[in-house]
mmCIF file of all heavy atoms in Angstrom:
data_model
loop_
_atom_site.group_PDB
_atom_site.id
_atom_site.type_symbol
_atom_site.label_atom_id
_atom_site.label_comp_id
_atom_site.label_asym_id
_atom_site.label_seq_id
_atom_site.Cartn_x
_atom_site.Cartn_y
_atom_site.Cartn_z
ATOM 1 N N ASP A 193 -228.353 5.701 24.416
ATOM 2 C CA ASP A 193 -228.237 4.311 23.827
ATOM 3 C C ASP A 193 -227.278 4.318 22.690
ATOM 4 O O ASP A 193 -227.504 4.903 21.650
ATOM 5 C CB ASP A 193 -229.614 3.996 23.316
ATOM 6 C CG ASP A 193 -229.740 2.474 22.955
ATOM 7 O OD1 ASP A 193 -228.635 1.870 23.041
ATOM 8 O OD2 ASP A 193 -230.825 2.013 22.569
ATOM 9 N N PRO A 194 -226.077 3.747 22.924
ATOM 10 C CA PRO A 194 -225.068 3.737 21.879
ATOM 11 C C PRO A 194 -225.358 2.721 20.773
ATOM 12 O O PRO A 194 -224.669 2.692 19.769
ATOM 13 C CB PRO A 194 -223.776 3.322 22.580
ATOM 14 C CG PRO A 194 -224.300 2.474 23.733
ATOM 15 C CD PRO A 194 -225.619 3.069 24.112
ATOM 16 N N PHE A 195 -226.380 1.856 20.905
ATOM 17 C CA PHE A 195 -226.593 0.815 19.920
ATOM 18 C C PHE A 195 -227.730 1.124 18.990
ATOM 19 O O PHE A 195 -228.070 0.344 18.146
ATOM 20 C CB PHE A 195 -226.900 -0.512 20.658
ATOM 21 C CG PHE A 195 -225.865 -0.845 21.662
ATOM 22 C CD1 PHE A 195 -226.039 -0.729 23.017
ATOM 23 C CD2 PHE A 195 -224.604 -1.335 21.189
ATOM 24 C CE1 PHE A 195 -225.062 -1.072 23.896
ATOM 25 C CE2 PHE A 195 -223.643 -1.607 22.157
ATOM 26 C CZ PHE A 195 -223.849 -1.500 23.413
ATOM 27 N N ARG A 196 -228.380 2.297 19.167
ATOM 28 C CA ARG A 196 -229.458 2.755 18.255
ATOM 29 C C ARG A 196 -228.831 3.737 17.366
ATOM 30 O O ARG A 196 -228.647 4.885 17.661
ATOM 31 C CB ARG A 196 -230.668 3.290 18.952
ATOM 32 C CG ARG A 196 -231.412 2.321 19.847
ATOM 33 C CD ARG A 196 -232.571 2.928 20.517
ATOM 34 N NE ARG A 196 -233.496 3.462 19.561
ATOM 35 C CZ ARG A 196 -234.566 4.164 19.869
ATOM 36 N NH1 ARG A 196 -234.829 4.528 21.106
ATOM 37 N NH2 ARG A 196 -235.370 4.653 18.909
ATOM 38 N N LEU A 197 -228.588 3.322 16.096
ATOM 39 C CA LEU A 197 -227.861 4.095 15.163
ATOM 40 C C LEU A 197 -228.771 5.211 14.623
ATOM 41 O O LEU A 197 -228.270 6.283 14.149
ATOM 42 C CB LEU A 197 -227.320 3.271 14.011
ATOM 43 C CG LEU A 197 -226.352 2.139 14.410
ATOM 44 C CD1 LEU A 197 -225.935 1.345 13.181
ATOM 45 C CD2 LEU A 197 -225.156 2.795 15.093
ATOM 46 N N ASP A 198 -230.120 4.995 14.599
ATOM 47 C CA ASP A 198 -231.049 5.961 14.015
ATOM 48 C C ASP A 198 -231.289 7.120 14.956
ATOM 49 O O ASP A 198 -231.529 8.251 14.518
ATOM 50 C CB ASP A 198 -232.336 5.339 13.607
ATOM 51 C CG ASP A 198 -232.993 4.629 14.793
ATOM 52 O OD1 ASP A 198 -232.285 4.432 15.843
ATOM 53 O OD2 ASP A 198 -234.163 4.256 14.735
ATOM 54 N N SER A 199 -231.109 6.904 16.234
ATOM 55 C CA SER A 199 -231.376 7.964 17.239
ATOM 56 C C SER A 199 -230.079 8.615 17.647
ATOM 57 O O SER A 199 -230.122 9.664 18.333
ATOM 58 C CB SER A 199 -232.053 7.390 18.483
ATOM 59 O OG SER A 199 -231.247 6.398 19.064
ATOM 60 N N ALA A 200 -228.918 8.019 17.362
ATOM 61 C CA ALA A 200 -227.635 8.659 17.796
ATOM 62 C C ALA A 200 -227.414 9.912 16.949
ATOM 63 O O ALA A 200 -227.738 9.986 15.823
ATOM 64 C CB ALA A 200 -226.517 7.654 17.593
ATOM 65 N N PRO A 201 -226.870 10.937 17.635
ATOM 66 C CA PRO A 201 -226.541 12.142 16.884
ATOM 67 C C PRO A 201 -225.516 11.893 15.875
ATOM 68 O O PRO A 201 -224.609 11.119 16.042
ATOM 69 C CB PRO A 201 -226.076 13.114 17.998
ATOM 70 C CG PRO A 201 -225.620 12.250 19.070
ATOM 71 C CD PRO A 201 -226.472 11.070 19.078
ATOM 72 N N SER A 202 -225.688 12.575 14.681
ATOM 73 C CA SER A 202 -224.789 12.386 13.572
ATOM 74 C C SER A 202 -223.446 13.091 13.939
ATOM 75 O O SER A 202 -223.415 14.145 14.476
ATOM 76 C CB SER A 202 -225.351 13.044 12.331
ATOM 77 O OG SER A 202 -224.374 13.049 11.312
ATOM 78 N N PRO A 203 -222.373 12.323 13.622
ATOM 79 C CA PRO A 203 -220.987 12.950 13.910
ATOM 80 C C PRO A 203 -220.814 14.254 13.163
ATOM 81 O O PRO A 203 -220.096 15.105 13.590
ATOM 82 C CB PRO A 203 -220.059 11.864 13.472
ATOM 83 C CG PRO A 203 -220.774 10.687 13.435
ATOM 84 C CD PRO A 203 -222.158 10.971 13.132
ATOM 85 N N ARG A 204 -221.514 14.361 11.974
ATOM 86 C CA ARG A 204 -221.348 15.557 11.230
ATOM 87 C C ARG A 204 -222.066 16.749 11.741
ATOM 88 O O ARG A 204 -221.597 17.896 11.647
ATOM 89 C CB ARG A 204 -221.706 15.353 9.744
ATOM 90 C CG ARG A 204 -220.812 14.273 9.065
ATOM 91 C CD ARG A 204 -221.273 14.098 7.654
ATOM 92 N NE ARG A 204 -220.493 13.058 6.924
ATOM 93 C CZ ARG A 204 -220.630 12.746 5.685
ATOM 94 N NH1 ARG A 204 -221.617 13.283 4.976
ATOM 95 N NH2 ARG A 204 -219.884 11.782 5.126
ATOM 96 N N SER A 205 -223.368 16.519 12.304
ATOM 97 C CA SER A 205 -224.145 17.592 12.764
ATOM 98 C C SER A 205 -223.849 17.943 14.174
ATOM 99 O O SER A 205 -224.067 19.124 14.549
ATOM 100 C CB SER A 205 -225.612 17.232 12.673
ATOM 101 O OG SER A 205 -225.876 16.116 13.426
ATOM 102 N N SER A 206 -223.442 17.042 15.044
ATOM 103 C CA SER A 206 -223.199 17.349 16.518
ATOM 104 C C SER A 206 -221.839 17.955 16.613
ATOM 105 O O SER A 206 -220.902 17.521 15.966
ATOM 106 C CB SER A 206 -223.315 16.096 17.333
ATOM 107 O OG SER A 206 -222.326 15.210 16.859
ATOM 108 N N PRO A 207 -221.739 18.946 17.438
ATOM 109 C CA PRO A 207 -220.482 19.569 17.711
ATOM 110 C C PRO A 207 -219.552 18.691 18.544
ATOM 111 O O PRO A 207 -220.056 17.835 19.276
ATOM 112 C CB PRO A 207 -220.782 20.897 18.409
ATOM 113 C CG PRO A 207 -222.077 20.628 19.096
ATOM 114 C CD PRO A 207 -222.812 19.710 18.211
ATOM 115 N N GLY A 208 -218.336 18.762 18.307
ATOM 116 C CA GLY A 208 -217.389 17.909 19.092
ATOM 117 C C GLY A 208 -217.360 18.211 20.490
ATOM 118 O O GLY A 208 -217.675 19.302 21.000
ATOM 119 N N PRO A 209 -216.977 17.226 21.352
ATOM 120 C CA PRO A 209 -216.894 17.442 22.813
ATOM 121 C C PRO A 209 -215.790 18.481 23.115
ATOM 122 O O PRO A 209 -214.810 18.568 22.453
ATOM 123 C CB PRO A 209 -216.572 16.047 23.342
ATOM 124 C CG PRO A 209 -215.793 15.393 22.180
ATOM 125 C CD PRO A 209 -216.423 15.980 20.928
ATOM 126 N N THR A 210 -216.121 19.159 24.264
ATOM 127 C CA THR A 210 -215.167 20.083 24.804
ATOM 128 C C THR A 210 -214.118 19.453 25.602
ATOM 129 O O THR A 210 -214.192 18.210 25.819
ATOM 130 C CB THR A 210 -215.831 21.211 25.590
ATOM 131 O OG1 THR A 210 -216.474 20.529 26.725
ATOM 132 C CG2 THR A 210 -216.984 21.903 24.766
ATOM 133 N N ALA A 211 -213.200 20.204 26.004
ATOM 134 C CA ALA A 211 -212.025 19.641 26.793
ATOM 135 C C ALA A 211 -212.516 19.055 28.151
ATOM 136 O O ALA A 211 -212.022 18.112 28.620
ATOM 137 C CB ALA A 211 -210.938 20.677 26.962
ATOM 138 N N GLY A 212 -213.525 19.808 28.780
ATOM 139 C CA GLY A 212 -214.000 19.280 30.094
ATOM 140 C C GLY A 212 -214.873 18.108 29.944
ATOM 141 O O GLY A 212 -214.971 17.329 30.901
ATOM 142 N N ASP A 213 -215.587 17.934 28.835
ATOM 143 C CA ASP A 213 -216.491 16.895 28.658
ATOM 144 C C ASP A 213 -215.865 15.596 28.165
ATOM 145 O O ASP A 213 -216.461 14.562 28.013
ATOM 146 C CB ASP A 213 -217.682 17.176 27.739
ATOM 147 C CG ASP A 213 -218.497 18.338 28.379
ATOM 148 O OD1 ASP A 213 -218.436 18.465 29.586
ATOM 149 O OD2 ASP A 213 -219.150 19.030 27.602
ATOM 150 N N ALA A 214 -214.621 15.613 27.684
ATOM 151 C CA ALA A 214 -213.921 14.516 27.004
ATOM 152 C C ALA A 214 -213.834 13.367 27.902
ATOM 153 O O ALA A 214 -213.843 12.185 27.412
ATOM 154 C CB ALA A 214 -212.568 14.937 26.514
ATOM 155 N N VAL A 215 -213.664 13.488 29.172
ATOM 156 C CA VAL A 215 -213.433 12.410 30.167
ATOM 157 C C VAL A 215 -214.686 12.051 30.864
ATOM 158 O O VAL A 215 -215.053 10.877 31.030
ATOM 159 C CB VAL A 215 -212.394 12.744 31.154
ATOM 160 C CG1 VAL A 215 -212.123 11.658 32.130
ATOM 161 C CG2 VAL A 215 -211.006 13.072 30.400
ATOM 162 N N GLU A 216 -215.648 13.009 31.165
ATOM 163 C CA GLU A 216 -216.785 12.741 32.002
ATOM 164 C C GLU A 216 -217.996 12.152 31.179
ATOM 165 O O GLU A 216 -218.784 11.500 31.696
ATOM 166 C CB GLU A 216 -217.256 13.990 32.688
ATOM 167 C CG GLU A 216 -216.257 14.483 33.744
ATOM 168 C CD GLU A 216 -216.124 13.517 34.868
ATOM 169 O OE1 GLU A 216 -216.999 12.780 35.154
ATOM 170 O OE2 GLU A 216 -214.983 13.477 35.484
ATOM 171 N N GLU A 217 -218.061 12.519 29.878
ATOM 172 C CA GLU A 217 -219.223 12.120 29.083
ATOM 173 C C GLU A 217 -219.380 10.619 28.951
ATOM 174 O O GLU A 217 -220.513 10.091 29.272
ATOM 175 C CB GLU A 217 -219.152 12.793 27.696
ATOM 176 C CG GLU A 217 -220.459 12.650 26.870
ATOM 177 C CD GLU A 217 -221.604 13.516 27.531
ATOM 178 O OE1 GLU A 217 -221.251 14.416 28.313
ATOM 179 O OE2 GLU A 217 -222.708 13.192 27.251
ATOM 180 N N PRO A 218 -218.391 9.832 28.577
ATOM 181 C CA PRO A 218 -218.577 8.354 28.525
ATOM 182 C C PRO A 218 -218.935 7.750 29.862
ATOM 183 O O PRO A 218 -219.780 6.807 29.988
ATOM 184 C CB PRO A 218 -217.270 7.845 28.017
ATOM 185 C CG PRO A 218 -216.696 9.034 27.292
ATOM 186 C CD PRO A 218 -217.089 10.150 28.080
ATOM 187 N N ARG A 219 -218.343 8.283 30.907
ATOM 188 C CA ARG A 219 -218.638 7.730 32.246
ATOM 189 C C ARG A 219 -220.063 7.997 32.669
ATOM 190 O O ARG A 219 -220.792 7.187 33.279
ATOM 191 C CB ARG A 219 -217.700 8.256 33.238
ATOM 192 C CG ARG A 219 -217.855 7.730 34.675
ATOM 193 C CD ARG A 219 -216.782 8.286 35.587
ATOM 194 N NE ARG A 219 -216.901 7.793 36.876
ATOM 195 C CZ ARG A 219 -216.457 6.632 37.376
ATOM 196 N NH1 ARG A 219 -215.861 5.887 36.529
ATOM 197 N NH2 ARG A 219 -216.661 6.222 38.650
ATOM 198 N N ARG A 220 -220.573 9.230 32.305
ATOM 199 C CA ARG A 220 -221.972 9.550 32.716
ATOM 200 C C ARG A 220 -222.946 8.660 31.922
ATOM 201 O O ARG A 220 -223.937 8.245 32.487
ATOM 202 C CB ARG A 220 -222.195 11.061 32.357
ATOM 203 C CG ARG A 220 -223.564 11.537 32.894
ATOM 204 C CD ARG A 220 -223.739 13.008 32.469
ATOM 205 N NE ARG A 220 -222.641 13.893 32.884
ATOM 206 C CZ ARG A 220 -221.858 14.469 32.148
ATOM 207 N NH1 ARG A 220 -222.085 14.432 30.795
ATOM 208 N NH2 ARG A 220 -220.866 15.257 32.576
ATOM 209 N N TRP A 221 -222.657 8.463 30.645
ATOM 210 C CA TRP A 221 -223.580 7.587 29.862
ATOM 211 C C TRP A 221 -223.600 6.183 30.394
ATOM 212 O O TRP A 221 -224.675 5.613 30.589
ATOM 213 C CB TRP A 221 -223.101 7.546 28.356
ATOM 214 C CG TRP A 221 -223.334 8.830 27.664
ATOM 215 C CD1 TRP A 221 -224.057 9.964 28.090
ATOM 216 C CD2 TRP A 221 -222.881 9.133 26.370
ATOM 217 N NE1 TRP A 221 -223.999 10.918 27.185
ATOM 218 C CE2 TRP A 221 -223.334 10.485 26.070
ATOM 219 C CE3 TRP A 221 -222.151 8.394 25.399
ATOM 220 C CZ2 TRP A 221 -223.076 11.068 24.889
ATOM 221 C CZ3 TRP A 221 -221.907 9.075 24.224
ATOM 222 C CH2 TRP A 221 -222.326 10.382 23.944
ATOM 223 N N ALA A 222 -222.435 5.632 30.682
ATOM 224 C CA ALA A 222 -222.421 4.318 31.227
ATOM 225 C C ALA A 222 -223.087 4.174 32.592
ATOM 226 O O ALA A 222 -223.810 3.206 32.858
ATOM 227 C CB ALA A 222 -220.938 3.844 31.337
ATOM 228 N N LEU A 223 -222.980 5.157 33.422
ATOM 229 C CA LEU A 223 -223.589 5.157 34.812
ATOM 230 C C LEU A 223 -225.124 5.171 34.652
ATOM 231 O O LEU A 223 -225.811 4.414 35.319
ATOM 232 C CB LEU A 223 -223.112 6.306 35.651
ATOM 233 C CG LEU A 223 -221.590 6.117 36.071
ATOM 234 C CD1 LEU A 223 -221.227 7.444 36.864
ATOM 235 C CD2 LEU A 223 -221.410 4.961 36.970
#
Side-chain angles (χ1 to χ4, degrees):
D193 191 355
F195 305 106
R196 294 182 59 188
L197 300 179
D198 56 346
S199 63
S202 174
R204 296 181 179 179
S205 62
S206 61
T210 62
D213 297 337
V215 179
E216 295 296 335
E217 191 66 22
R219 183 175 179 82
R220 188 183 306 118
W221 288 353
L223 292 176

